[in-house]
Amino acid sequence: MIQIKNLTKTYTTKHGAVTGVDNVSLEVGKGEIFGIVGYSGAGKSSLIRCINLLERPSSGSIIVDEKDLTQLNGDQLRKARLKIGMIFQHFYLISQKTVYDNIAFALRAAGTPSKEIKMRVEELLEMVGLADKRDVYPAQLSGGQKQRVGIARALANNPAVLLCDEATSALDPNTTLSILRLLKEINRKLNITIVLITHEMNVVKEICDRMAIMQGGRVIEEGQVYDIFADPQKELTKEFISSVVSFNVPVHILKEFKGTLVKVLFKGGVAGEGVISDMLQSFSVKGNFLHGAIEYIQERPLGIFIMELKGAEIEVMEALRYLENRSAIVEVISSGH
């Protein structure tokens, strides 16, 4: 659906050339929700704005629905952009226009016949849960309601792709969750491809299928959200994940324990099985749980536990091998032997 090939975006500043996006290649499948994560300055905003050519790449190509947008002329590009909706962090609603007219504006701009506009706007208002706000002005809306108007406006021309530029960053946690659920519902109902950028891993954890981590204009890690949460490869990725799923035991607590300290990770269905209790019954070791939980990512369980094991060294090692054979990923944090 979306192919980004060797994309580079360089900006000219008074201090010289600055590279915002550095030779990035990504693919996003039809109907997928793809998250791009990074801190401020990582290049994620530049990248998403290149996808619909709000910013023109310095080199590389952007292929959306088999059309290379970088090769289109003015009229061709305008038509292609109608199939790419975009929602923003700060909403950008027209304050002098009602909710109805803010949404209708996108349809009028696309040349939609007047008789079709009313029906389409009312359909969109129903879809985003704002049918009762039809004649209200933006100043009378909450932040979440404003973003719902922004979503309706972005969907007005039946786009195949929806780009979300920090769409929930200005919202409180409860409102963020409601907007993310709305986006997921729209994705499932319309099979629309969604690309969102964020610095919040909770957003990615909640709705994304796959993700990429950006740093210094480059993609440093990419994959299924579940796999990245289960086994992050880069230190920055681990840092992001720890903001959502933290299983670090304070150092002063660790010093109190003399046994073997291990982190045990279970993926998928095995996370809900009694593997640890089976292990404790099968070997002459004692276990002391320090931390643990089962997270659900993409509706799949991911179990992470930190525990102390006490017993003869050979028994502890056999117990750890047993866990590994039961599909656990085992990391020895410190050994008391």
Side-chain angles (χ1 to χ4, degrees):
M1 181 62 189
I2 301 174
Q3 293 175 292
I4 302 169
K5 296 182 178 180
N6 306 116
L7 184 75
T8 296
K9 175 62 181 176
T10 303
Y11 299 92
T12 302
T13 73
K14 61 182 179 180
H15 302 295
V18 175
T19 300
V21 181
D22 189 1
N23 195 34
V24 167
S25 295
L26 287 171
E27 290 196 16
V28 182
K30 172 68 177 171
E32 190 170 45
I33 304 180
F34 191 93
I36 301 172
V37 182
Y39 288 124
S40 178
K44 58 190 189 299
S45 289
S46 295
L47 177 59
I48 202 169
R49 290 170 69 85
C50 283
I51 292 177
N52 61 358
L53 264 65
L54 281 179
E55 296 198 18
R56 186 166 283 275
S58 303
S59 62
S61 57
I62 302 281
I63 300 168
V64 179
D65 211 8
E66 300 184 347
K67 294 186 180 73
D68 186 345
L69 301 191
T70 63
Q71 301 301 312
L72 302 183
N73 62 32
D75 285 339
Q76 292 171 330
L77 183 56
R78 276 190 289 276
K79 287 179 181 176
R81 277 184 176 147
L82 289 177
K83 293 301 177 184
I84 305 174
M86 191 162 188
I87 59 176
F88 305 89
Q89 178 180 356
H90 298 298
F91 321 128
Y92 298 121
L93 303 181
I94 305 168
S95 59
Q96 299 87 358
K97 292 184 180 292
T98 64
V99 167
Y100 177 95
D101 286 327
N102 265 277
I103 300 168
F105 181 82
L107 291 159
R108 294 189 182 107
T112 305
S114 298
K115 62 182 180 181
E116 295 178 18
I117 290 177
K118 181 175 183 293
M119 185 184 302
R120 179 60 177 157
V121 172
E122 290 179 350
E123 178 186 10
L124 289 163
L125 286 170
E126 193 70 39
M127 185 184 299
V128 300
L130 290 179
D132 61 333
K133 303 294 182 184
R134 182 187 190 279
D135 300 316
V136 165
Y137 288 87
Q140 299 168 273
L141 300 175
S142 68
Q145 289 169 335
K146 289 176 183 177
Q147 195 56 285
R148 286 172 182 266
V149 177
I151 293 170
R153 181 183 56 190
L155 295 175
N157 293 299
N158 292 301
V161 174
L162 182 62
L163 306 179
C164 305
D165 188 356
E166 296 278 10
T168 60
S169 293
L171 306 176
D172 64 71
N174 286 337
T175 306
T176 290
L177 191 57
S178 72
I179 293 297
L180 294 177
R181 286 173 177 167
L182 174 61
L183 289 173
K184 195 165 189 176
E185 180 184 340
I186 288 168
N187 165 260
R188 287 175 172 173
K189 185 181 294 184
L190 305 180
N191 198 32
I192 191 170
T193 303
I194 298 177
V195 180
L196 61 86
I197 66 166
T198 183
H199 60 274
E200 300 171 297
M201 286 297 281
N202 265 323
V203 170
V204 172
K205 176 175 173 281
E206 185 66 30
I207 67 167
C208 291
D209 302 307
R210 289 194 306 124
M211 64 182 291
I213 303 282
M214 288 192 71
Q215 183 179 35
R218 291 177 172 267
V219 171
I220 62 169
E221 192 160 356
E222 177 194 355
Q224 294 285 334
V225 170
Y226 186 93
D227 294 337
I228 287 179
F229 267 82
D231 189 22
Q233 300 299 304
K234 303 293 185 179
E235 286 304 314
L236 180 62
T237 310
K238 293 175 184 177
E239 185 179 316
F240 272 117
I241 289 172
S242 70
S243 69
V244 180
V245 183
S246 179
F247 294 97
N248 294 321
V249 180
V251 174
H252 73 278
I253 297 293
L254 294 179
K255 288 179 180 178
E256 297 176 10
F257 297 95
K258 305 303 181 185
T260 299
L261 293 175
V262 296
K263 180 187 288 186
V264 185
L265 184 146
F266 297 103
K267 293 184 183 181
V270 73
E273 297 177 4
V275 177
I276 291 178
S277 61
D278 290 348
M279 177 267 291
L280 293 174
Q281 291 175 28
S282 301
F283 298 90
S284 297
V285 296
K286 293 182 178 180
N288 181 25
F289 282 96
L290 305 182
H291 204 343
I294 296 178
E295 292 283 337
Y296 286 85
I297 300 165
Q298 295 178 307
E299 300 178 358
R300 295 168 61 198
L302 177 66
I304 306 177
F305 303 91
I306 294 176
M307 60 187 301
E308 177 193 34
L309 294 179
K310 286 183 177 180
E313 182 177 3
I314 190 168
E315 284 291 321
V316 170
M317 297 311 295
E318 286 293 330
L320 295 182
R321 272 194 287 272
Y322 173 84
L323 291 177
E324 290 174 338
N325 289 336
R326 290 288 298 270
S327 302
I329 297 172
V330 179
E331 175 189 345
V332 176
I333 300 172
S334 67
S335 176
H337 299 287

